Amino acid sequence: TDLYAVVGNPIAHSKSPLIHRLFAEQTDQDLVYEALLIDTEDTTFQFAISDLIARGYKGINITVPFKLDAFELADELSPRAEVAHAVNTFSFEDGKIFGDNTDGIGLVTDIEENANRPFKDQKVLILGAGGAVQGILQPLLEKQPGLVHIANRTAKRAEVLGKRFETLSPITSSDWESIPDETYDIIINGTSASLEGKLPPINSNILGQDSLVYDMMYGAEPTVFMQWAQQHQPSCQTRDGLGMLVGQAAEAFYIWRGVRPQTQSVIDEVRRLIQ
Ligand code: ATR
């Protein structure tokens, strides 16, 4: 039996052990996946990881607040981890730590395959310009959207991100007030405002009848952002970040086991259990 875990702080409510157990059952893989707390009052991130390697763990997922520590600790980085400047997946081989980032591909796959909305030639609006958005831009831009606008409370941060990625695709940026007056096909909320139950103060005329409105957060209830969209444009499609969570886990599972689990059935099962 191979051992895996997710580390973070807090970690008790992590859905990752459940998700990986469902993947293992689905694909008939013999593994155990735990959630482990790293308390930096007692230890360091580096020491905790060395200890897990010594105990024979084959791979580790890293969540808040250690994704940057993981980026710094890795001996080798995948190109996508390099660009995201954050690591959420370690695999241990030949005494080396390989760092990867599966968050972006998790989101892109969830939107393209499960929500059935390919990015190609679509008008995309991204809200937020923090770490979460930085992590998804490269995999998203590789899908050749028609247009991408990044809006953020702090416009400068959106501008810096836009400049960094403009070689991959044309990107514009602004604060909330100056979002170009369009209806967007895919709107992604990557701000942490939902966590506080707050809405980015944007005009509802960006919502089209067929827009996909995606919140990177998830919960037992639709997020405030999804509720806002549904209220102003009842025909739009809304989706929360549970699919992204399961998607990033599926990609980590693939890195470790070489098998790609089917995700929608696992999303449905986790949804049933959190409600
Ligand atoms: P994360 O890892 O979740 O992306 P982060 O890097 O701190 O965390 O970024 C948080 C994002 O949410 C930023 O885009 C932030 O806007 P600023 O760059 O202006 O700080 C945004 N954000 C956080 N709280 C917000 C709020 N109450 N309203 C609007 N945007 C908010």
Side-chain angles (χ1 to χ4, degrees):
T1 303
D2 291 331
L3 276 177
Y4 299 88
V6 59
V7 297
N9 190 350
I11 204 67
H13 297 290
S14 171
K15 299 290 174 280
S16 292
L18 167 65
I19 293 167
H20 282 275
R21 181 167 60 72
L22 294 170
F23 287 165
E25 284 169 10
Q26 186 197 116
T27 60
D28 217 7
Q29 298 279 308
D30 184 21
L31 60 88
V32 168
Y33 186 108
E34 306 161 314
L36 303 173
L37 179 78
I38 295 182
D39 185 348
T40 48
E41 302 220 324
D42 304 335
T43 186
T44 62
F45 178 74
Q46 183 168 5
F47 185 84
I49 296 299
S50 306
D51 183 51
L52 294 175
I53 295 173
R55 285 158 57 193
Y57 283 74
K58 290 270 190 314
I60 297 289
N61 281 134
I62 301 97
T63 188
V64 179
F66 298 117
K67 290 186 190 184
L68 189 57
D69 299 270
F71 174 82
E72 280 160 4
L73 184 63
D75 298 306
E76 284 178 30
L77 290 166
S78 69
R80 61 192 180 192
E82 198 115 41
V83 174
H85 211 85
V87 161
N88 79 331
T89 306
F90 277 161
S91 27
F92 309 126
E93 263 169 57
D94 310 325
K96 276 197 178 149
I97 302 176
F98 292 89
D100 203 338
N101 190 313
T102 66
D103 287 328
I105 195 71
L107 170 107
V108 167
T109 310
D110 187 49
I111 290 180
E112 292 212 317
E113 290 177 15
N114 295 333
N116 205 10
R117 299 291 292 250
F119 281 100
K120 179 122 178 66
D121 298 329
Q122 298 290 286
K123 291 189 275 183
V124 181
L125 174 63
I126 299 174
L127 309 175
V133 168
Q134 177 166 305
I136 63 160
L137 278 176
Q138 186 197 27
L140 193 162
L141 296 176
E142 279 173 354
K143 298 295 181 183
Q144 301 180 297
L147 165 170
V148 175
H149 185 82
I150 308 178
N152 194 41
R153 181 173 61 184
T154 314
K156 185 72 195 167
R157 241 179 138 188
E159 189 190 324
V160 169
L161 263 195
K163 284 247 155 50
R164 232 186 103 196
F165 287 91
E166 72 189 355
T167 51
L168 289 176
S169 167
I171 305 184
T172 53
S173 66
S174 71
D175 59 11
W176 302 135
E177 287 79 40
S178 312
I179 297 174
D181 201 7
E182 294 249 15
T183 56
Y184 293 85
D185 302 306
I186 301 176
I187 299 157
I188 300 171
N189 182 17
T191 70
S192 47
S194 289
L195 277 180
E196 311 155 29
K198 287 187 185 153
L199 283 172
I202 57 172
N203 195 314
S204 60
N205 61 14
I206 54 137
L207 296 166
Q209 289 186 346
D210 300 319
S211 297
L212 169 66
V213 177
Y214 197 99
D215 202 327
M216 285 167 68
M217 304 286 156
Y218 74 94
E221 304 292 328
T223 68
V224 284
F225 187 65
M226 290 162 67
Q227 292 180 31
W228 168 84
Q230 208 84 68
Q231 240 161 37
H232 289 91
Q233 187 58 264
S235 65
C236 75
Q237 183 186 356
T238 58
R239 193 169 175 90
D240 75 8
L242 184 57
M244 178 182 181
L245 177 74
V246 175
Q248 64 75 30
E251 187 73 12
F253 193 91
Y254 173 70
I255 292 169
W256 295 330
R257 310 299 298 185
V259 192
R260 248 178 234 287
Q262 197 273 325
T263 53
Q264 187 61 54
S265 62
V266 173
I267 296 169
D268 295 342
E269 178 68 6
V270 178
R271 176 85 61 203
R272 201 176 62 75
L273 293 170
I274 64 175
Q275 263 163 358

